[in-house]
Amino acid sequence: MTFLVKICGLRDVATLDAALAAGAGMVGFVHFARSPRHLELADAARLVARARARGQAQSVVLAVDPDDATVARIVEEVKPDWLQLHGAETPERVAAIQAAHDVGLIKAIGVAGPEDVTRALTYDAADLLLLDARPPRDATRPGGNGVAFDWALAGDGRLPPFLLSGGLHPDNVADAIAGLAGQASLAGVDVSSGVENAPGVKDTALVGAFIRAAVGAACQRPSMKEPVA
């Protein structure tokens, strides 16, 4: 099994290339106007094509409550491997997108308590979940806020495969992975603001440090023999 390390919110060639060189297994691009990491679809398409040409990482486009036309444009024009739904999409909406498009679906779930983990179980149409911290009340966006949740909640044995996100950075990602050593459903980790030196500005040294720390911790997991970022 391959352990995934996802670097999200990439915005330019230099930081994309740095993430790929460091061994990222997933690279993410945000299409959400209120985010400091927002990309127009044409720009996202160029970066996705560059990542695909390198052949070592899966590409993800993040959208928040996209309508049918936006989903179709992402799938047809950008051609990512995955579409990440990071809004208030219902299980029914996720199932409808899954039925209409040939793209992997990641559904992000904001977590603050065990009831949110139970809610995550209703999204069985998603190919992969992403457990993130529920945003603060005054937040203007649903993710990328640098907030952590109680990672012990992600130890629920009922969960399907998921990525752990929310408040991760190079200094705590190994502890987060080690704390979920017994959770076989942990498929990888996701970071955005935790490898930035300003909102939307990735620090390539932090990107490399995060990937090294995550892969090192993944190597110690009982289910992993030769994990790859």
Side-chain angles (χ1 to χ4, degrees):
M1 178 182 177
T2 299
F3 191 85
L4 295 166
V5 180
K6 176 171 173 275
I7 307 297
C8 195
L10 297 165
R11 301 185 66 237
D12 54 52
V13 167
T15 52
L16 170 63
D17 285 354
L20 294 174
M26 274 185 163
V27 287
F29 310 99
V30 175
H31 182 64
F32 180 55
R34 295 207 298 273
S35 171
R37 306 165 188 94
H38 171 70
L39 286 175
E40 295 298 331
L41 293 184
D43 295 322
R46 284 190 285 271
L47 294 177
V48 166
R50 187 178 183 88
R52 180 168 290 117
R54 294 282 292 272
Q56 67 193 67
Q58 302 170 57
S59 59
V60 183
V61 170
L62 182 157
V64 179
D65 297 310
D67 58 20
D68 289 345
T70 301
V71 172
R73 287 192 63 201
I74 291 171
V75 173
E76 295 166 12
E77 297 176 22
V78 184
K79 298 180 175 60
D81 299 299
W82 297 84
L83 171 62
Q84 181 174 319
L85 300 171
H86 214 106
E89 301 90 359
T90 64
E92 293 76 19
R93 175 63 175 154
V94 174
I97 293 173
Q98 178 71 277
H101 297 281
D102 183 18
V103 65
L105 281 187
I106 300 172
K107 177 64 184 99
I109 306 293
V111 177
E115 69 279 4
D116 297 311
V117 175
T118 299
R119 179 170 60 91
L121 302 178
T122 66
Y123 286 89
D124 54 356
D127 298 294
L128 189 62
L129 297 180
L130 184 146
L131 302 187
D132 198 358
R134 191 186 295 171
R137 289 183 180 276
D138 59 349
T140 59
R141 54 187 186 270
N145 295 294
V147 178
F149 67 96
D150 179 2
W151 297 319
L153 294 168
D156 190 311
R158 300 173 297 167
L159 282 167
F162 68 91
L163 301 176
L164 183 70
S165 188
L168 296 175
H169 52 73
D171 293 333
N172 69 4
V173 65
D175 288 340
I177 293 170
L180 292 171
Q183 173 54 286
S185 294
L186 178 62
V189 290
D190 167 276
V191 69
S192 186
S193 61
V195 292
E196 293 179 345
N197 52 34
V201 181
K202 293 290 185 285
D203 183 313
T204 56
L206 291 177
V207 169
F210 183 90
I211 292 171
R212 289 191 297 273
V215 172
C219 287
Q220 306 305 314
R221 286 174 58 78
S223 60
M224 303 294 294
K225 293 183 179 180
E226 297 180 358
V228 179

